[in-house]
């Protein structure tokens, strides 16, 4: 198996390739350049690994939550790549990938992943780490940080939430964005366990951009 992983849900545009004897990853920080940067990064990671697109057997995409336009670029790119080559495409909540890295730091106990949702809000999920393995305790949600309970905000927190709202998230973890390598590793474990991974985007709210008809109704 050679797995291509893509995520565009956070500030990092990140791509990884994982398989027997293969481990390559490239990321750039650009909150607005998903359309221009993602395809070249796919080519970069293939070149780094010395592999070709024809060798890829599976694709996994981060399904968010994330800002509408950026998230859509990653999901559509993964689906098009898979469709063009007749490959299965899998989806994983992007916050779960961040939680993998956070749990390795927390080891045991509860923690929070809170990423930038813009509009002075965060996307968040509460997790429990058991021997360094994360388990989600809540569904993905979007809220203003001040609307979260004080006990929730006091948990160790990964993502850019603590950077944007340092007074509200007092226990930051040194993990800001999704890494495609972690997404790939999580996908490989779930595939081995037979866990379904449908590609269902977690937009959580309407896009900022509206059609002419939608603006008229508004």
């Amino acid at each position: 198996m050679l797995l291509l992983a893509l995520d565009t849900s956070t500030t990092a545009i990140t791509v990884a390739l994982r398989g027997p004897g293969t481990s390559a990853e490239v990321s750039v920080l650009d909150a607005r350049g998903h359309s221009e940067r993602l395809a070249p990064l796919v080519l970069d990671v293939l070149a780094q690994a010395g592999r070709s697109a024809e060798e890829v057997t599976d694709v996994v995409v981060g399904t968010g939550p994330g800002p509408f336009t950026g998230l859509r670029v990653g999901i559509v790119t993964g689906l098009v790549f898979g469709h063009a080559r007749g490959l299965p495409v899998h989806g994983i909540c992007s916050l779960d990938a961040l939680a993998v890295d956070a749990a390795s730091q927390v080891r045991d106990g509860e923690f929070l992943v809170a990423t930038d949702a813009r509009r002075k809000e965060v996307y968040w999920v509460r997790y429990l780490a058991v021997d360094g393995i994360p388990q989600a305790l809540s569904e993905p949600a979007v809220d203003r940080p001040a609307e979260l309970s004080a006990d929730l905000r006091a948990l160790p927190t990964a993502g850019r939430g603590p950077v944007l709202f340092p007074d509200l998230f007092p226990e930051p973890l040194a993990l800001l964005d999704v890494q495609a390598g972690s997404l790939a590793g999580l996908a490989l474990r779930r595939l081995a366990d037979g866990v379904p991974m449908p590609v269902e985007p977690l937009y959580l709210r309407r896009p900022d951009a509206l059609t002419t008809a939608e603006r008229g109704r508004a």
Side-chain angles (χ1 to χ4, degrees):
M1 175 181 288
L2 187 62
L3 179 73
L4 176 68
L6 315 170
D7 190 274
T8 55
S9 66
T10 61
T11 301
I13 305 166
T14 180
V15 182
L17 203 62
R18 290 287 188 274
T22 300
S23 179
E25 183 172 355
V26 291
S27 299
V28 296
L29 298 181
D30 189 339
R32 308 276 180 184
H34 305 86
S35 297
E36 298 81 10
R37 289 186 177 259
L38 184 56
L41 288 180
V42 172
L43 297 177
D44 287 349
V45 81
L46 288 167
Q48 184 185 119
R51 308 297 289 266
S52 68
E54 289 75 15
E55 295 177 88
V56 175
T57 62
D58 290 78
V59 180
V60 61
V61 294
T63 57
F68 184 85
T69 301
L71 180 60
R72 182 174 57 180
V73 170
I75 292 174
V76 169
T77 299
L79 288 172
V80 169
F81 188 100
H83 178 73
R85 302 192 176 281
L87 306 178
V89 181
H90 316 284
I92 289 180
C93 172
S94 302
L95 302 187
D96 287 356
L98 247 175
V100 169
D101 298 327
S104 68
Q105 291 189 15
V106 174
R107 296 303 304 172
D108 290 287
E110 293 190 12
F111 66 95
L112 190 70
V113 174
T115 60
D116 183 14
R118 302 176 187 168
R119 304 184 192 175
K120 299 181 179 179
E121 294 177 330
V122 293
Y123 298 116
W124 65 274
V125 173
R126 186 175 193 161
Y127 293 90
L128 173 66
V130 179
D131 293 330
I133 305 299
Q135 302 173 11
L137 299 179
S138 67
E139 294 296 321
V142 57
D143 290 290
R144 289 180 177 268
E147 295 172 351
L148 303 181
S149 70
D151 289 345
L152 188 61
R153 289 187 278 106
L155 293 173
T157 304
R160 291 189 177 268
V163 175
L164 297 170
F165 308 97
D167 295 338
L168 296 174
F169 297 105
E171 295 293 333
L173 296 172
L175 298 164
L176 299 182
D177 298 299
V178 175
Q179 299 301 311
S182 301
L183 182 71
L186 183 56
L188 289 170
R189 288 195 294 274
R190 291 184 178 179
L191 282 169
D193 292 339
V195 177
M197 293 182 284
V199 181
E200 298 176 354
L202 296 168
Y203 294 124
L204 299 191
R205 65 186 183 203
R206 293 173 60 82
D208 293 324
L210 300 177
T211 65
T212 300
E214 287 172 331
R215 286 195 298 271
R217 288 195 296 269

